[in-house]
Amino acid sequence: MELLLLHYPFTFLLLAVLILCWMYPAFRYFCKMTFYQVWIFTISFLVIIVALPRGRNCENMKILRMAILPVKHILGVKIVVKGKENLKTKKPCVLVLNHQNSLDIMVMMQILPNRCVPIGKKEILYMGSFGIACWLSGVIFIDRKKREESIAILTEVAHTMRKDNFHVLVYPEGTRNHSGSMLPFKRGAFQLAVRAQVPIIPVVISSYNSFYSQKEKRFTSGTSTIQILPAVETVGLSSDDVPKLTEQVRDSMMSVYQRISGMTNGAGKHGAAGEKRR
């Protein structure tokens, strides 16, 4: 009888939350983002427990990927991947992705190949259970304020990724970007690929703006499209070629970003020009 009485308040609370989510988009936004963050930090505890016996190993990324991906169904985000054939490689490569916001963590897991470790800012390491889970999964942390140290880490990665046969994932913009375009690319990922003489695989994630906006406090159901582009070879290239290579890859990604995000050519060109002037 007591359990039955307790059941009614929880049912009422759930109904109240659902009604508020339906009536107030901002309330739905905060509920979804809170759930997303709680999911990631809670599920990271389970990843730590499972991964700990193996220690720090990029194979643990499979566990983290499987743990995070199911949240897309709860949030109502459908992820469509195009160009999967361009990622079917067993040889080391550098994946470069455009960076928008924290949803990228969930979306990138959809295409993350086996034996692939992201490069992330050092601050992630101190993000509680998620930071520890990332460390156990082999994520490479760099301190963006210490340029020489970051270069040394990337140089070491370039020397070992061919020997140990793993891929590296980088966000070349270096920070989140809410502008609806792409920031200028930093050259670290391209220096890494040239030093290791491994191909670059550009990966473009469409704008989330059709279903998500931090500024407008809007988070509905929607579709995110990922377009994987053909590999860009770096064999024979030197550090002198990196600036041109960086711009070439950014331009190709920007063009695809505008197309899969449903932007008009005029708006896209204006946005790209504005970013290059920064």
Side-chain angles (χ1 to χ4, degrees), residues 96 182 185 190 200-204 227 229-232 244-260 276:
V96 292
M182 287 188 192
F185 283 4
F190 306 92
I200 296 166
I201 299 184
V203 179
V204 184
Q227 179 72 59
L229 278 60
V232 178
K244 182 179 178 181
L245 177 65
T246 303
E247 286 304 310
Q248 173 192 337
V249 172
R250 183 187 181 278
D251 288 345
S252 65
M253 290 179 66
M254 189 66 203
S255 176
V256 172
Y257 176 80
Q258 292 164 5
R259 175 171 55 81
I260 65 178
K276 288 185 178 180

Side-chain angles (χ1 to χ4, degrees), residues 21-86:
C21 284
W22 177 69
M23 292 180 64
Y24 302 103
F27 184 80
R28 180 169 59 239
Y29 168 86
F30 284 113
C31 283
K32 279 193 166 187
M33 288 306 297
T34 300
F35 182 85
Y36 176 56
Q37 292 167 8
V38 169
W39 176 281
I40 286 180
F41 284 97
T42 303
I43 211 72
S44 292
F45 277 112
L46 300 178
V47 172
I48 292 169
I49 294 169
V50 176
L52 203 55
R54 185 186 282 165
R56 180 171 163 84
N57 193 311
C58 66
E59 293 294 337
N60 289 329
M61 186 58 71
K62 294 179 183 177
I63 305 170
L64 188 60
R65 181 178 61 197
M66 288 188 295
I68 290 177
L69 264 181
V71 76
K72 68 180 181 180
H73 301 295
I74 302 170
L75 297 178
V77 178
K78 181 182 179 182
I79 303 174
V80 176
V81 182
K82 300 179 179 180
K84 292 180 182 178
E85 65 279 1
N86 295 320

Side-chain angles (χ1 to χ4, degrees), residues 60-255:
N60 289 329
M61 186 58 71
K62 294 179 183 177
I63 305 170
L64 188 60
R65 181 178 61 197
M66 288 188 295
I68 290 177
L69 264 181
V71 76
K72 68 180 181 180
H73 301 295
I74 302 170
L75 297 178
V77 178
K78 181 182 179 182
I79 303 174
V80 176
V81 182
K82 300 179 179 180
K84 292 180 182 178
E85 65 279 1
N86 295 320
L87 202 52
K88 291 181 179 179
T89 174
K90 294 182 179 179
K91 296 180 180 179
C93 64
V94 175
L95 282 73
V96 292
L97 283 70
N98 57 303
H99 194 12
Q100 298 179 66
N101 52 55
S102 62
L103 293 182
D104 292 338
I105 297 171
M106 172 185 71
V107 175
M108 80 166 183
M109 292 297 177
Q110 187 73 41
I111 56 95
L112 197 70
N114 292 332
R115 296 192 62 77
C116 182
V117 293
I119 291 179
K121 59 183 180 180
K122 197 171 184 179
E123 289 83 350
I124 295 173
L125 182 58
Y126 307 110
M127 292 175 63
S129 59
F130 179 63
I132 298 172
C134 286
W135 183 83
L136 285 169
S137 301
V139 172
I140 301 165
F141 299 103
I142 59 173
D143 189 337
R144 294 176 296 182
K145 297 177 182 177
K146 298 179 179 178
R147 186 173 181 274
E148 295 301 321
E149 180 182 301
S150 299
I151 292 173
I153 292 172
L154 292 178
T155 301
E156 182 182 351
V157 172
H159 290 155
T160 59
M161 63 185 298
R162 289 177 66 93
K163 181 182 69 175
D164 295 341
N165 192 34
F166 63 88
H167 313 298
V168 174
L169 183 148
V170 185
Y171 292 105
E173 291 169 281
T175 188
R176 298 177 184 182
N177 175 25
H178 305 281
S179 71
S181 182
M182 287 188 192
L183 299 175
F185 283 4
K186 299 183 184 300
R187 296 173 182 172
F190 306 92
Q191 291 280 12
L192 170 62
V194 168
R195 284 193 185 116
Q197 292 288 280
V198 298
I200 296 166
I201 299 184
V203 179
V204 184
I205 303 172
S206 65
S207 171
Y208 301 142
N209 194 54
S210 63
F211 62 90
Y212 173 92
S213 172
Q214 182 181 23
K215 184 178 181 180
E216 299 172 11
K217 299 296 182 284
R218 172 173 51 83
F219 195 168
T220 62
S221 299
T223 300
S224 174
T225 301
I226 303 175
Q227 179 72 59
I228 305 169
L229 278 60
V232 178
E233 294 296 337
T234 63
V235 175
L237 299 183
S238 69
S239 58
D240 293 336
D241 300 304
V242 168
K244 182 179 178 181
L245 177 65
T246 303
E247 286 304 310
Q248 173 192 337
V249 172
R250 183 187 181 278
D251 288 345
S252 65
M253 290 179 66
M254 189 66 203
S255 176

